[in-house]
Amino acid sequence: MPIKDYIRERYFPHLWCSGCGHGIVLGSFLRAIQQLGLSKNEIVMVSGIGCSSRITGYVDFHTLHTLHGRALAFATGVKMGLPELNIIVPMGDGDALAIGGNHFIHTARRNIDITAIVMNNRIYGMTGGQFSPLSGYGIKATTAPYFNIDHDFDVVELATAAGASFVARTTTYHEKQLTNIITKAIQHVGFSVVEVLTQCPTYFGRKNDIGSAVDMMKLYKEKTTPRGSKAKKENPDLIERGIFVQKEMPEYCNEYNKIIEKAMKGH
Amino acid sequence: MKQVMEGSHAASEAVRLAKVQVISAYPITPQTHIVEALAEYCENGTMDARFLCVESEHSALAAVISASTMGVRTFTATSSHGLALMHELLHWASGARLPIVMAEVNRALGPGWNIWADQTDSLAQRDTGWIQFYCEDGQEVFDTTLHAFRLAEWVNLPVMVIQDAFFLSHTLEPVDIPDQKQVDQFLPPFSSGVKLDTEKPCNMGQLTPPSIYMEMRQHIQMAMEQVSSCYSEVEKEFSALFDRQYGPVEPVACEDAEVILVVSGTIAGTCRSVISDLRSKGEKPGMLKIKMFRPFPADFVRRAVRAAKKVAVIDRNISFGAGGIFCQEVKSALYNMDPHPPVFGYIAGLGGRDVTPDSLEAIYWKTKKGDLLKGESTWVETQEVELKN
């Protein structure tokens, strides 16, 4: 099916700023769906609040635009209700790791079959550039006009420690890798976390004098390296890209079915 | 000195001059301009205060509650879903008798997502023990925020100073901002009677059995009952210094009015011009602006509408199944007054829809000419919605 058939054209042009990386993530996501050959009726997309969450308006699947931080809690309800569907949750810094941080770790702990795409632009774009739990020390934001003293989460380490059975990271510069990773994440049975470093030239770029969207994407090229590469050993400051965790673990809905089976024995 | 500023910045300027010591918030549109300005003041040394940008509104109020427990002056700001998320802690702040001041920007609740003006968010919190003030313009936001600290610290209850999204929060108006010395005269440094103190160790928030819980609740009600007279004292002092006074309600041309329009927030500004237009045509409308919603100024409302033939309450909010929330309160205030004018309820301007002079004039005529409605309220200027299967 052509990519265009997966979108709701009536909602375009989208509201993201020019240069925003979120459109690249949307493109990669749609190509992944196309490669998997999923029908529109098999996919439910659940989002919370923020720039990333607007994706649910643009895709022609079953979509829910829910409360800030609660996307994974809503998604868990959808999955438990109709476990045969593919549940995808696009999320930003706030949804995944600030107001929704608790849901994030507990969804990982349960290993329920949901794919979370964490679009990390290191700032709250929609509300006007306040710092987020992914901004990091020393960063400037509208709520940190001099510099931020809060340290950031490492999404990959956090998801891994919390029990996610598929964990990966890439950037909007590495579009082919992104499509490939999203494809694998959706195929994976269990909670999958895909962190995508995505540029916000309007707030993060401007506040921190990084330059244009192109400059920001060049940094993704220069400051990242494939997981386990020689370059990483020589320069530990490089951020690794790739799949960090991919393991078979009992999936929550399947385990729940086992309880039902056991409870129904003898009836 | 008069400066042109948004309603948001009228709030943040008052907080600066009130010498607040701890501020915490989480970003939510359309409240963000308030805390962005304060974040800057805290970091560049304009204010000797700490600003905490935490991970949710729930955490923001929790941080402010504990800072207030340490005996410092505190402030937070939020809107809509942010306020809804604070709900549990709103009860905690009043139950712990903490004089926290909050700027609340009235915004609609989802779904569908809507960032525009609607009072249902704050009115849904009417039973949490917070004093609530609804403001008409930037000057009132500034003045009321200063009043709020004095009042909160006097009666030991938290205060919400409320302004309409965008119509007020993002609208530039001239606001008279006094200098620090004048504000210091009005608002002395905060000195808390009950606080955590290493010299006098104590334990707060413990299990409270039925034998004492009820009295604690009664004390909150008693404090609420003192608010009206305390507020009048606070306003008297404020007006001696700054020559501005508002009152818990403001009756405009109510003495001989046949129909009184009861309004709040920015709709009051529109209503003033409608009243004077209708008066110039020989009509006899009046306006009652309600500024203080909690405690509800029932006496003032009774006095203002006593002689009117009809009362029309315009609500930019809805309690589903019961009608407009101001309307319910007005009806309940009038119930035991015999005789009292009939009360007409109108729902208007939800989710940021404009309430224009024409809307208010139509409400006036409908009330003047109409009989009491069968339902609880009339919905103003809604379109017919075609239901599709």
Side-chain angles (χ1 to χ4, degrees), chain A residues 49 66-68 98-99 130 146, chain B residues 26 32 36 44 55 81 113:
Chain A
I49 289 295
T66 72
L67 289 163
H68 189 32
I99 198 165
Q130 298 82 12
Y146 298 94
Chain B
Y26 186 75
T32 34
E36 278 172 13
N44 70 15
E55 63 284 348
H81 284 269
W113 279 111

Side-chain angles (χ1 to χ4, degrees), chain B residues 64-79:
Chain B
V64 162
I65 283 173
S66 50
S68 185
T69 308
M70 302 309 297
V72 299
R73 189 169 280 161
T74 55
F75 173 82
T76 185
T78 192
S79 187

Side-chain angles (χ1 to χ4, degrees), chain A residues 48-49 65-68 70 94 98-99 124 126-128 130-131 142-147 150, chain B residues 26-29 32 35-36 39-40 43-44 51-57 81 85 110-111 113:
Chain A
I49 289 295
H65 192 184
T66 72
L67 289 163
H68 189 32
R70 313 300 157 200
I99 198 165
Y124 296 141
M126 184 161 279
T127 46
Q130 298 82 12
F131 68 79
T142 49
T143 42
Y146 298 94
F147 65 96
D150 284 29
Chain B
Y26 186 75
I28 185 166
T29 305
T32 34
V35 291
E36 278 172 13
E40 174 94 39
E43 295 200 2
N44 70 15
F51 178 82
L52 311 163
C53 189
V54 288
E55 63 284 348
S56 77
E57 287 86 356
H81 284 269
L85 186 57
W113 279 111

Side-chain angles (χ1 to χ4, degrees), chain B residues 26-340:
Chain B
Y26 186 75
I28 185 166
T29 305
Q31 157 274 138
T32 34
H33 289 187
I34 302 173
V35 291
E36 278 172 13
L38 292 170
E40 174 94 39
Y41 290 155
C42 291
E43 295 200 2
N44 70 15
T46 305
M47 288 178 76
D48 182 14
R50 300 290 167 101
F51 178 82
L52 311 163
C53 189
V54 288
E55 63 284 348
S56 77
E57 287 86 356
H58 197 272
S59 311
L61 189 50
V64 162
I65 283 173
S66 50
S68 185
T69 308
M70 302 309 297
V72 299
R73 189 169 280 161
T74 55
F75 173 82
T76 185
T78 192
S79 187
S80 181
H81 284 269
L83 184 66
L85 186 57
M86 284 180 176
H87 177 77
E88 177 183 29
L89 290 147
L90 293 175
H91 284 281
W92 199 271
S94 60
R97 307 297 302 272
L98 297 169
I100 296 162
V101 173
M102 175 195 295
E104 212 294 304
V105 185
N106 271 148
R107 164 189 153 178
L109 290 151
W113 279 111
N114 178 303
I115 56 171
W116 295 278
D118 189 306
Q119 298 171 323
T120 311
D121 59 346
S122 57
L123 289 168
Q125 306 298 344
R126 61 181 163 173
D127 302 333
T128 56
W130 283 61
I131 296 165
Q132 288 195 349
F133 289 115
Y134 289 79
C135 298
E136 181 182 345
D137 58 25
Q139 188 68 58
E140 190 173 4
V141 168
F142 178 84
D143 294 347
T144 310
T145 306
L146 289 181
H147 296 161
F149 286 103
R150 271 294 298 277
L151 186 63
E153 291 162 16
W154 189 347
V155 298
N156 288 314
L157 284 175
V159 180
M160 230 178 257
V161 181
I162 299 152
Q163 54 175 306
D164 286 339
F166 301 104
F167 294 125
L168 185 43
S169 67
H170 287 55
T171 301
L172 292 155
E173 289 178 305
V175 180
D176 197 349
I177 303 292
D179 63 30
Q180 186 68 61
K181 223 168 130 189
Q182 288 172 293
V183 175
D184 288 347
Q185 259 181 287
F186 171 71
L187 186 65
F190 174 44
S191 155
S192 173
V194 184
K195 61 177 176 180
L196 280 184
D197 184 349
T198 49
E199 296 298 313
K200 287 183 274 177
C202 67
N203 192 352
M204 289 181 173
Q206 279 305 291
L207 183 74
T208 311
S211 57
I212 48 171
Y213 182 87
M214 196 159 161
E215 282 73 13
M216 288 175 73
R217 287 319 182 249
Q218 192 178 21
H219 287 171
I220 296 173
Q221 174 61 18
M222 285 158 68
M224 273 289 184
E225 283 165 10
Q226 287 172 3
V227 166
S228 188
S229 63
C230 295
Y231 186 59
S232 148
E233 284 299 309
V234 168
E235 278 223 288
K236 211 182 285 173
E237 282 184 44
F238 187 87
S239 110
L241 287 162
F242 304 108
D243 200 25
R244 288 187 296 274
Q245 207 162 349
Y246 301 89
V249 302
E250 183 193 349
V252 177
C254 284
E255 303 80 12
D256 64 339
E258 290 177 0
V259 176
I260 293 179
L261 304 182
V262 180
V263 290
S264 59
T266 51
I267 295 177
T270 315
C271 196
R272 286 178 199 278
S273 72
V274 172
I275 299 296
S276 77
D277 282 357
L278 286 168
R279 284 264 165 187
S280 68
K281 291 174 194 159
E283 291 298 315
K284 285 190 170 174
M287 169 181 114
L288 180 67
K289 168 181 146 182
I290 298 184
K291 173 192 174 81
M292 184 192 283
F293 181 80
R294 274 292 177 270
F296 192 74
D299 274 353
F300 290 86
V301 171
R302 281 192 284 270
R303 249 175 277 149
V305 306
R306 190 179 293 272
K309 285 192 182 138
K310 289 176 178 176
V311 172
V313 185
I314 295 127
D315 272 295
R316 179 174 255 154
N317 61 75
I318 174 74
S319 171
F320 300 111
I325 297 172
F326 277 89
C327 187
Q328 292 171 42
E329 301 273 340
V330 169
K331 281 180 181 169
S332 130
L334 300 186
Y335 183 76
N336 283 333
M337 184 172 89
D338 191 29
H340 64 73

Side-chain angles (χ1 to χ4, degrees), chain A residues 68-93:
Chain A
H68 189 32
R70 313 300 157 200
L72 286 172
F74 276 87
T76 300
V78 174
K79 186 68 184 176
M80 291 300 279
L82 293 166
E84 65 279 11
L85 298 177
N86 294 288
I87 320 293
I88 322 279
V89 181
M91 19 186 15
D93 317 7

